[in-house]
Every structure is written in C-alpha cells, then in structure tokens.
Amino acid sequence: MVNRRKKKRTGQPNSPQILAMVLMGAGLVILGGLAFFLLPKGAPAESPTNGSGSTIPVAVDYLSPELTLSDIHGNQSSLKDYQNQVVLVNNWATWCPPCRAEMPTLKQYFEDHQKQGFAVIAIEAGETVADVAKFAKEYELTFPVWADPNQEAIAAFRNMALPNSYVIDRLGQVRLTWTGAISRDMLEKYVTPLLEE
C-alpha cells in the first residue's frame, strides 16, 4: 500500500513568516524615507573656489579642438577664424544660473581687453537660435554668440558641466580650463598675463 500523505516541504516560509518579512521591509522603507527628509544634508560638491564664488582655473597645454558652428545671425564661424588672438570659449546654457551670472563679467572683461587681441566666444548648449538670440539681446552681449543645438562644443571639449570655459592662446593651444563661474579677479589674474605674451 502506498502512503498518499503529502510530505511537508521544509525550508519554505509559512504565512506568519511571510507577513513578518513584508512588515520588516515596509518598516525599512519608511525609516529610509524619514532619514532622507530629516537628517541634515551635506554640502553639494563644488569646484575649488577662491573665496569669491569663482572657480580657479586649471593650467593645461593641448591643441584646441576644431569646431565650426553658426552664430545667432546664421553665419558659420570656426575657432580657426580666431588665430593670433587669445580666445575664451565659454560653454553655457540659457537656463543655467551660474552661466547667466557670469555673462556681465565676461562682457565687461571682453570690452576692456578686446583691443589687446582678446575674444570671447559664448557657445550656448542646446537651445534654439531664437532663444539664444533673445538672451544675447537681453544681456546686450557684444562678443560672438554661437548656437549649439547638438552640443558639439561640449563633446569637443569633453566637459558636460556648465558653465565651462577654455582659454586658447595665440598659437591655438588651450592653456586654461574652468568649470564653474568666473570672476573678474580670476580673469585678470590668469587671462591678462596671456594677453601680454
């Protein structure tokens, strides 16, 4: 005669054990949520600054990438068009608060030093030409503003953080890089000596 009783499987949790595990999991989720909202948050990671809110540039030495884009007036321009000048390439966006904050500083420095062979090229990352032109008009920008809807400049310089800036010397070498907003003091300290070379 065959015993037809079902053998009780071992190693599987029963109903009270499953309920206990579900309650413990829910409790952990609730505790995690409370900790997220109640515990103090650490300061966000920032680039090194000089105490005035401006980032400090990094000295580098490499050949400028080739880059050709259209300005807000529809004219094609290239970095090669600025040979024999010291050029600050500024990658920025209309929606970026530190980008907006540094624009008047870049404008004033450009106006004060353009007779020394200094140029700023502001390359807006991602917006339409109409939006970029509106921004340039609102801020009364006097240097070239390029639209970059496909973010080619960000790819060329390999830096997704905005704003980021690169100073190219008269020989086409990138000499300084910034990630973050730039103050007038930092421009005078680091860029002005390149104008005198």
Side-chain angles (χ1 to χ4, degrees), residues 62 87-89 91 157 159 164-168 174 176-178:
Y62 60 88
V87 180
L88 186 145
V89 174
N91 292 307
F157 285 100
N159 188 348
N164 63 65
S165 297
Y166 300 83
V167 179
I168 304 168
V174 179
L176 297 170
T177 71
W178 267 278

Side-chain angles (χ1 to χ4, degrees), residues 105-115 118-120 142-144 184:
T105 301
L106 296 177
K107 177 187 176 201
Q108 191 61 55
Y109 186 82
F110 165 71
E111 291 174 355
D112 292 345
H113 293 280
Q114 64 180 324
K115 289 182 180 174
F118 176 70
V120 171
T142 52
F143 46 73
R184 178 64 184 243

Side-chain angles (χ1 to χ4, degrees), residues 6-183:
K6 290 184 179 177
K7 292 185 178 179
K8 186 175 180 182
R9 294 183 183 175
T10 58
Q12 288 189 342
N14 56 29
S15 293
Q17 288 175 322
I18 292 173
L19 181 62
M21 286 190 286
V22 168
L23 291 174
M24 280 183 18
L28 289 173
V29 169
I30 291 169
L31 285 175
L34 287 173
F36 177 79
F37 288 107
L38 298 177
L39 293 176
K41 309 289 187 283
E46 295 180 5
S47 301
T49 66
N50 68 339
S52 70
S54 175
T55 56
I56 298 169
V58 175
V60 295
D61 188 14
Y62 60 88
L63 188 63
S64 170
E66 292 186 17
L67 186 64
T68 301
L69 293 167
S70 294
D71 66 19
I72 56 175
H73 306 293
N75 304 312
Q76 247 194 357
S77 297
S78 172
L79 290 181
K80 287 183 178 180
D81 299 338
Y82 293 86
Q83 287 180 342
N84 300 319
Q85 295 185 57
V86 174
V87 180
L88 186 145
V89 174
N90 178 250
N91 292 307
W92 63 285
T94 59
W95 49 262
C96 162
C99 303
R100 297 171 73 93
E102 75 178 350
M103 279 298 168
T105 301
L106 296 177
K107 177 187 176 201
Q108 191 61 55
Y109 186 82
F110 165 71
E111 291 174 355
D112 292 345
H113 293 280
Q114 64 180 324
K115 289 182 180 174
Q116 294 174 266
F118 176 70
V120 171
I121 302 171
I123 305 176
E124 203 285 336
E127 295 298 320
T128 66
V129 173
D131 288 338
V132 180
K134 180 180 175 187
F135 181 96
K137 184 176 180 181
E138 178 185 338
Y139 279 72
E140 300 177 347
L141 300 180
T142 52
F143 46 73
V145 179
W146 298 1
D148 188 10
N150 298 319
Q151 300 183 354
E152 293 175 44
I154 286 175
F157 285 100
R158 299 178 185 176
N159 188 348
M160 295 293 292
L162 296 174
N164 63 65
S165 297
Y166 300 83
V167 179
I168 304 168
D169 69 15
R170 298 180 199 278
L171 300 176
Q173 292 291 113
V174 179
R175 300 276 299 276
L176 297 170
T177 71
W178 267 278
T179 298
I182 305 172
S183 72

